[in-house]
Amino acid sequence: EVQLVESGGGLVQPGGSLRLSCVGSGFALTDYGIGWFHQAPGKEREGVSCITSRDDFTYYAESVKGRFTISSDNAKNTVYLQMDNLKVDDTGVYYCAAVRGSVRSVFGLNTWTYDFWGQGTQVTVSS
C-alpha cells in the first residue's frame, strides 16, 4: 500500500524558512513522480513543485521559483521541499502526492496527475 506522510510545517515569520518532508512507504521513490501542493484557506489546491527522482527532473510554479527547492533522498524514500523567503500568501496546508512513472513540466503541477496523497502539513506565515 502506497502511503505518504508529510511533516515539517509550523509557524514562521515572513522571510523565514521551513523544510517540509514527505516520507513514502509501500513503493520505491525511483519508480514514482512526487508533487508538492499548497492549499490556502478557502482556495483550491495548487501545484508548487514536482520531482522525478529517477532522473532528477524538477519543476516549479512561477510563484515559488527562486524561493523553494525540491529534492529527494532515495535511500530514505523521502522528498523535501525547502521553502525560503516565505510570504504570508504561502500560508496553508501543504500536501505531497505520488504517481507511478515520471512527472514532467506543468502536468506535474496538476492534481489530477496523482493517485496517492498524504494528509498534509500546516504552514503558517505570520508576523
Side-chain angles (χ1 to χ4, degrees):
E1 179 186 8
V2 173
Q3 290 188 329
L4 302 167
V5 178
E6 303 96 332
S7 62
L11 173 64
V12 64
Q13 292 185 342
S17 297
L18 284 173
R19 189 177 80 157
L20 306 184
S21 299
C22 171
V23 180
S25 61
F27 68 101
L29 191 60
T30 51
D31 293 336
Y32 280 69
I34 304 295
W36 278 102
F37 291 79
H38 169 227
Q39 189 163 20
K43 295 188 177 181
E44 293 186 355
R45 199 170 297 186
E46 296 182 337
V48 171
S49 183
C50 64
I51 186 168
T52 299
S53 61
R54 180 169 53 203
D55 57 10
D56 287 330
F57 174 87
T58 60
Y59 191 80
Y60 297 91
E62 286 297 324
S63 60
V64 305
K65 277 185 180 178
R67 299 191 300 124
F68 291 9
T69 304
I70 193 170
S71 63
S72 65
D73 184 333
N74 295 337
K76 295 182 178 179
N77 232 43
T78 300
V79 172
Y80 303 100
L81 186 68
Q82 177 67 41
M83 306 189 296
D84 298 319
N85 191 20
L86 282 161
K87 304 177 181 180
V88 172
D89 287 347
D90 295 322
T91 293
V93 180
Y94 283 75
Y95 300 88
C96 67
V99 62
R100 188 174 182 87
S102 302
V103 288
R104 293 286 185 250
S105 66
V106 68
F107 297 103
L109 301 186
N110 290 328
T111 56
W112 46 258
T113 294
Y114 297 90
D115 297 318
F116 306 97
W117 292 84
Q119 84 291 345
T121 185
Q122 175 71 42
V123 171
T124 302
V125 185
S126 174
S127 56

